[in-house]
Amino acid sequence: MSNDAVVRNDWTPAEVKSLFALPFMDLLFKAQSVHRQHFDPNQVQTSTLLSIKTGACPEDCKYCPQSGHYNTGLKKEKLMAVERVLEKARQAKEGGASRFCMGAAWKHPGEKDMPYVLEMVEGVKELGLETCMTLGMLNEHQSAQLADAGLDYYNHNLDTSPEFYDKIITTRSYQDRLDTLGHVRDAGMKICSGGIVGMGETASDRVGLLIQLANLPQQPESVPINMLVRVKGTPLEDSEDLDNFDFIRMLAVARIMMPESHVRLSAGRETMSDETQALAFMAGANSIFYGECLLTTANPEKNRDLQLFKRLGMRPEQAIDKADDAAETAIRQSIVKQQQDSLFYDASA
Ligand code: SAM
Ligand code: DTB
Ligand code: SF4
């Protein structure tokens, strides 16, 4: 393995700035070279999202359609019944997702909610899917309960640099977020943590976010990089367009700094061309949110994604390794069916 593909936790701002300053083609080549030392470059991890509790969130995140501080016209919904969540998870599995991510618009889960949330984790796991949740802040006890129930990943984003953070959120601190990540790690779960670009942050803020993530004691296994979805009614609805090349640079630098992590091309794909997405994969992104809906906003249709994979000769990662025998058979049958529908790329051809 070459030296530039080794995991490091001592990145300096000057080094990271110099990566961003590379000519675009040099940066992409470097990112793709690092990527190939750790991953199959033609494989993409697919996670399907479900909002299990929607809207009326007490936090004031300026990008978020679910904050109760802004009027975005979103219909609020209470915590979804466990059986309905499991039904959605079954559909996600049949559609070919390998991970099911459940998100709640909470500051933190309430004690009365925990038994239901734990049941959801156990049920989704039994289906043979990887499990992920994003429920806001967690304390040590809640982290241990989720880990015991079998939760594989916890998503909690740092969102931006420590310097820009209070322009975006005032109701919880950067340190609160780092504390939650610490509890998740101590409980033995994998971390999914990333951020958003296109919120009016400077180039140094992008450097600052990536340094925070990469220099954590252990890098997050999953790093979602979201392009801001500008939602009417949020304070960021009129944010300026982000240059797509700058978005790709962010993915490429994340790939180089966190060579063993899955880097997720996250929110923002709905308005992105297929060609921009292909550049994102070239930059080392190897995970997407898959399914027509993110939490409350649109994502590309499954068929568009499957066609894109096919056109690029890429394959979705399957959760087969983690599934028990019955679930494995079901997943295999589902893949065969989709291959017969000729939507998947046939790697054996
Ligand atoms: N309430 C929980 C929390 O904030 O931890 C979980 C759900 S929250 C919607 C998860 C993440 O979605 C946020 O941290 C943010 O990075 C991302 N997100 C929310 N709204 C977004 C938007 N309009 N565009 C892009 N990403 C967004
Ligand atoms: C993440 O980084 N992005 C996802 C997931 N983690 C939970 C959420 C994106 C939300 C986009 C706005 C919405 O659909 O509400
Ligand atoms: Fe609430 Fe999460 Fe949205 Fe912030 S990002 S307002 S915490 S749902």
Side-chain angles (χ1 to χ4, degrees):
M1 190 187 306
S2 74
N3 277 345
D4 60 5
V6 171
V7 175
R8 289 176 43 202
N9 304 84
D10 59 354
W11 289 93
T12 65
E15 273 178 299
V16 181
K17 270 185 196 149
S18 67
L19 286 174
F20 273 103
L22 283 172
F24 189 73
M25 298 307 161
D26 291 349
L27 176 60
L28 247 64
F29 182 74
K30 192 178 174 70
Q32 177 66 203
S33 309
V34 169
H35 187 48
R36 282 169 182 262
Q37 294 183 53
H38 293 283
F39 292 101
D40 176 340
N42 301 308
Q43 198 156 298
V44 182
Q45 188 275 328
T46 49
S47 292
T48 292
L49 276 169
L50 175 69
S51 179
I52 58 169
K53 186 268 167 187
T54 306
C57 182
E59 303 285 310
D60 69 352
C61 312
K62 287 195 172 59
Y63 48 76
C64 186
Q66 303 204 66
S67 168
H69 295 255
Y70 320 121
N71 184 4
T72 60
L74 187 71
K75 191 168 164 272
K76 304 181 258 192
E77 279 169 38
K78 292 191 299 208
L79 184 62
M80 201 179 263
V82 176
E83 197 36 59
R84 223 177 121 212
V85 173
L86 298 185
E87 187 49 41
K88 295 276 186 188
R90 273 182 218 110
Q91 290 167 7
K93 192 178 83 171
E94 280 161 20
S98 67
R99 190 177 308 160
F100 193 63
C101 303
M102 295 157 268
W106 284 326
K107 185 181 186 70
H108 51 70
E111 283 315 306
K112 69 175 189 340
D113 302 310
M114 283 305 286
Y116 300 104
V117 162
L118 298 174
E119 243 187 88
M120 291 173 195
V121 175
E122 284 160 6
V124 173
K125 224 167 153 63
E126 270 172 32
L127 296 173
L129 283 161
E130 287 183 323
T131 50
C132 176
M133 281 194 159
T134 179
L135 314 171
M137 293 190 277
L138 293 183
N139 60 33
E140 286 166 33
H141 178 58
Q142 290 168 329
S143 305
Q145 284 180 300
L146 287 165
D148 285 349
L151 188 65
D152 297 301
Y153 289 80
Y154 195 75
N155 167 247
H156 199 61
N157 290 341
L158 293 179
D159 277 346
T160 190
S161 68
E163 294 74 24
F164 190 58
Y165 183 86
D166 62 7
K167 308 276 180 313
I168 301 295
I169 300 134
T170 68
T171 49
R172 70 172 163 223
S173 69
Y174 212 79
Q175 190 56 48
D176 287 334
R177 294 203 181 224
L178 290 168
D179 290 347
T180 292
L181 294 182
H183 298 321
V184 169
R185 232 355 145 206
D186 291 346
M189 287 181 284
K190 293 187 193 131
I191 288 181
C192 172
S193 188
I196 312 182
V197 286
M199 301 192 292
E201 73 284 346
T202 61
S204 313
D205 291 318
R206 290 182 202 144
V207 169
L209 167 64
L210 292 180
I211 286 198
Q212 287 291 326
L213 293 166
N215 289 355
L216 284 169
Q218 197 182 335
Q219 295 185 343
E221 283 77 5
S222 171
V223 180
I225 303 294
N226 298 277
M227 165 101 92
L228 175 70
V229 180
R230 290 171 291 197
V231 179
K232 204 163 168 356
T234 62
L236 296 184
E237 67 171 302
D238 294 321
S239 297
E240 279 185 23
D241 271 349
L242 178 74
D243 182 347
N244 278 333
F245 293 133
D246 284 340
F247 182 69
I248 302 294
R249 282 191 176 91
M250 185 76 180
L251 292 168
V253 177
R255 161 53 62 229
I256 294 166
M257 294 173 72
M258 293 173 275
E260 292 183 355
S261 307
H262 275 79
V263 173
R264 184 173 304 125
L265 164 59
S266 304
R269 289 197 306 117
E270 168 70 0
T271 52
M272 222 174 263
S273 71
D274 288 351
E275 290 75 11
T276 302
Q277 295 188 57
L279 272 182
F281 298 134
M282 188 69 192
N286 60 346
S287 170
I288 58 166
F289 286 122
Y290 172 69
E292 281 83 43
C293 196
L294 291 167
L295 288 172
T296 66
T297 63
N299 200 39
E301 303 248 313
K302 280 186 190 154
N303 276 357
R304 178 178 160 202
D305 284 340
L306 294 175
Q307 292 292 357
L308 179 61
F309 287 162
K310 190 177 178 207
R311 287 166 69 209
L312 297 176
M314 299 183 86
R315 309 175 294 279
E317 253 176 45
Q318 300 297 331
I320 287 174
D321 295 347
K322 293 109 192 163
D324 60 24
D325 289 349
E328 178 171 335
T329 309
I331 293 171
R332 280 191 195 286
Q333 284 166 347
S334 144
I335 296 167
V336 168
K337 183 175 176 309
Q338 294 189 55
Q339 280 172 337
Q340 282 163 350
D341 293 343
S342 82
L343 285 167
F344 277 107
Y345 170 70
D346 181 0
S348 64

